[in-house]
Amino acid sequence: MNVRMSTLVAAVAAALLAPAMAAEPVGVAARGGYPEYLFLEKAPRDEAKATAEKLARAVIAGRMIIFAYAKKLTDPAIGDKGFTGEFFLEQWRNSLQGELLDATPSQKRILEKLFWAGKQVIDNNQDRLNVKGIAWKHFLPAKWEREMGQVFTARTGIIIKQPGRAYRSPVNVPDELERSAMQKYIDAGRDEMRPQTAFTTMGKQAVYRHMEPIRLLDPCLPCHGKPKGEPDMLGFEKDGLETGDLIGLMSVTVAVE
Ligand code: HEC
């Protein structure tokens, strides 16, 4: 074979191989996973709905407490804010007395693990919270929820996350069901608050999914409002949304027995 021939053969071989290699995409989600035994806490099937709703309400209550302290937490004149895990937990627990009253033993155990995770994340952020001289230290209800969700999921297998319409943290990337739920809320308009739910599976594990809308309030607009694309105080581009618009979902996935 002369040089020209061998170049031709190599070119043909490369052309034949190229589509096979291109068919294997890089940087995509692996398939499979979710072995049933990693869903450590499983709700009885008839309790799953109430368990997911309780968790969603508890997380929203935690968000609201952090939100209520936003002024103090972003005051550059204060160093030690006194917003410790213990301080937070006491208020969080108090705000949820009603939820605890009618909780089943399984729900009580799960809520205790949620409290544990939420407190731990506040403790973990003390150095950040207590920085003096800077207003916005990237400590927000959404960040607490993201970190708390990861700690809680690691311990229980129950997934709590807040997929975003245009997410800032890659942890908040919506899955297929969450993406379609968000679209439905956007199509339905601002008054639609009813949760979207489903009994489905994750791997072979039967799960109950609860998704409800997170809508914007006036104080959210400096970051998620208008004008779209202009940087907010943390440097993210604003979403260009208005009060009442959907910004994301409170999404809870509970394994069922
Ligand atoms: C100071 C700017 C700021 C304000 C004010 C703010 N957010 Fe955010 N929001 C962020 C940042 C930054 C993140 C990413 C947090 C993270 O996970 O680290 C975020 C994340 C979120 C997410 C999760 C999806 C995502 O983008 O990753 C939701 C939902 C959300 N915010 C809703 C709200 C709501 C509702 C309010 C008002 C009650 C609000 N935010 C107020 C900056 C802000």
Side-chain angles (χ1 to χ4, degrees):
M1 200 162 25
N2 62 28
V3 175
R4 279 180 71 183
M5 267 294 278
S6 64
T7 316
L8 189 68
V9 169
V12 170
L16 286 173
L17 280 173
M21 287 166 76
E24 200 66 61
V26 171
V28 297
R31 290 164 182 262
Y34 299 108
E36 294 95 298
Y37 58 82
L38 287 186
F39 293 83
L40 299 158
E41 288 283 357
K42 299 189 190 189
R45 203 177 169 87
D46 59 352
E47 274 182 28
K49 180 173 183 288
T51 302
E53 287 171 358
K54 273 189 190 297
L55 285 169
R57 284 194 296 266
V59 173
I60 289 164
R63 279 182 79 118
M64 291 324 271
I65 292 166
I66 295 165
F67 191 53
Y69 281 88
K71 199 155 183 275
K72 186 171 188 189
L73 298 180
T74 56
D75 186 340
I78 312 173
D80 187 348
K81 317 280 188 303
F83 196 77
T84 61
E86 211 168 313
F87 177 82
F88 167 74
L89 180 59
E90 199 190 329
Q91 298 187 52
W92 193 21
R93 211 185 254 286
N94 284 342
S95 73
L96 292 165
Q97 289 303 332
E99 295 295 340
L100 286 162
L101 269 181
D102 67 347
T104 65
S106 140
Q107 289 166 345
K108 278 203 178 109
R109 193 180 58 242
I110 291 170
L111 282 170
E112 283 305 324
K113 291 182 181 177
L114 186 80
F115 291 150
W116 170 86
K119 173 182 183 293
Q120 195 176 92
V121 169
I122 301 288
D123 283 335
N124 232 4
N125 276 283
Q126 286 303 299
D127 290 352
R128 174 186 295 270
L129 282 169
N130 293 335
V131 166
K132 203 175 170 180
I134 299 174
W136 288 97
K137 298 170 281 288
H138 197 151
F139 188 87
L140 302 142
K143 175 187 150 84
W144 168 78
E145 184 177 337
R146 166 169 60 82
E147 295 182 355
M148 188 277 303
Q150 291 188 293
V151 172
F152 180 68
T153 301
R155 186 164 175 201
T156 63
I158 296 172
I159 302 166
I160 293 185
K161 58 183 276 224
Q162 41 174 2
R165 182 170 177 163
Y167 54 88
R168 283 155 165 76
S169 166
V171 171
N172 299 329
V173 57
D175 66 19
E176 226 169 285
L177 195 65
E178 290 162 339
R179 198 169 282 125
S180 80
M182 280 197 279
Q183 192 57 56
K184 281 183 198 158
Y185 283 123
I186 292 166
D187 295 343
R190 291 190 181 143
D191 296 330
E192 182 56 276
M193 290 304 289
R194 283 172 298 177
Q196 294 180 41
T197 64
F199 276 104
T200 172
T201 53
M202 237 173 207
K204 291 187 194 128
Q205 175 64 51
V207 296
Y208 178 74
R209 301 203 47 175
H210 168 105
M211 292 161 290
E212 61 184 57
I214 300 179
R215 295 192 176 278
L216 291 174
L217 309 169
D218 289 347
C220 319
L221 299 184
C223 298
H224 296 296
K226 290 181 158 84
K228 185 177 169 69
E230 190 168 282
D232 66 20
M233 49 273 244
L234 293 168
F236 287 104
E237 290 185 6
K238 295 187 192 182
D239 302 82
L241 299 171
E242 291 174 6
T243 299
D245 279 344
L246 182 90
I247 180 73
L249 296 177
M250 169 79 234
S251 174
V252 181
T253 304
V254 183
V256 294
E257 276 167 4

